[in-house]
Amino acid sequence: MKKALVLMMTLLMAVMMVAGCGGGEKKKAEAPKVLRVGTEPTFAPFEFQKEGSKEFDGFDMDLIRAIGKQLNMKVEILNMGFDALIPALNAGNIDVAAAGMSITPDRQKAVDMSDPYYVSGLVVVVNKDNEAVKNVNDLGNKGIAVQIGTTGAERAAKVPGAKVKNFNTNAEVFLELKNKGVDAVIIDKPVAEYFLATGGGKDYAKIVGDTMEAESYGLSLKKNSPLTKDINKALLDLKKNGEYDKLYSKWFGAVKK
Ligand code: GLN
C-alpha cells in the first residue's frame, strides 16, 4: 500500500515537472499576437501625427492601444486613405479600422462594427467673412469640400445643385476652404471644433448652424470576425474600469456619461 502511494506520488511529480517545463517553454516562445489597425490620421483629435512625427496620436489611438493591452495583443498602426479602410478589412490586410468611423447601416452591411464608443454629428464650416451661409440649407448650388468616403461626403451629395469636391485628407479639405476654392466644408463636429481651437482654423473659419444628424463612432472589423466580440468585451471592460473615462477627459475635458 505504502509502496503504491510512493510510486503514485513519484509519477505525479514527474508528470507535473514535464508539464511545467513544457508550459514554460511554450510561454517563452509565444510572442503576443499582432493587432493590425488601419487609420487615416488627419482627423484630430481622434487620429493625427504631430508635425514632423510618424507617431499616431489621438483619442482613437489611445483607445485602440488600451484595447490591445486588454486583449494581450501588440498594436500596429497603419496609415491609409479613409476610403481604403473597408476594402483593407475585407482583403484581410488589417484587423481593425480605428478612424472615427460612424456606424451606418451601409457600413454594417459591409463590415462588423463594434458597439458605439463616441457620439458625434456633422457641422458646416465656412470662412469667417461668409455672411450668406447660415446653415446647411443655404448651401444649394454652392461649393462644398469633403473627405472622400465619409458621412460628410454623403451629406454634401444630398445638397441640391452643390458642387462637391472630394479630397483624400482633411488637411486638403480645410486648405480648400482657406483658399476659397469652396464655400463650405461638411465635417464631424468634434474635428471642426478642435481645428478651430488648436489647428489654426480660428484665423479664417467658423462653424454655422446646428449639428446635423447624430452619429456614433464604432471600430470596424471584417464581417463575422472572431475578434468583434473580444473588442466589444474590451471596450466594456475599459468603460467599467475607468480607463475609457480617463482617455475621454484627456482628449475632451469633462467626462460625458
Ligand atoms: N465620421 C465620419 C465618417 O465616418 C468621418 C470619419 C473620418 O473622416 N475619419 O464618415
Side-chain angles (χ1 to χ4, degrees), residues 144-170:
I144 309 172
V146 291
Q147 186 178 28
I148 193 164
T150 59
T151 48
E154 273 172 31
R155 185 63 189 84
K158 286 188 199 149
V159 176
K163 294 174 272 298
V164 181
K165 289 190 183 176
N166 283 275
F167 293 92
N168 284 322
T169 67
N170 290 308

Side-chain angles (χ1 to χ4, degrees), residues 39-43 46-47 60 82 85 98-104 107 113 120-122 147-154 168-170 186-188 191 215-218:
T39 198
E40 193 291 304
T42 66
F43 202 63
F46 296 91
E47 39 269 338
D60 285 349
F82 187 78
L85 291 166
M101 193 181 281
S102 304
I103 301 172
T104 67
R107 288 178 181 153
M113 293 210 74
S120 187
L122 296 172
Q147 186 178 28
I148 193 164
T150 59
T151 48
E154 273 172 31
N168 284 322
T169 67
N170 290 308
I186 298 184
I187 196 164
D188 299 49
V191 174
E215 299 181 356
S216 290
Y217 295 165

Side-chain angles (χ1 to χ4, degrees), residues 125-129 145 170-185 195 199-201 203-205:
V125 183
V126 296
N127 281 296
K128 251 184 172 173
D129 57 7
N170 290 308
E172 293 164 284
V173 167
F174 282 128
L175 194 63
E176 188 69 4
L177 181 70
K178 188 178 188 178
N179 294 337
K180 302 205 168 165
V182 287
D183 300 283
V185 162
F195 175 65
D203 297 337
Y204 67 90

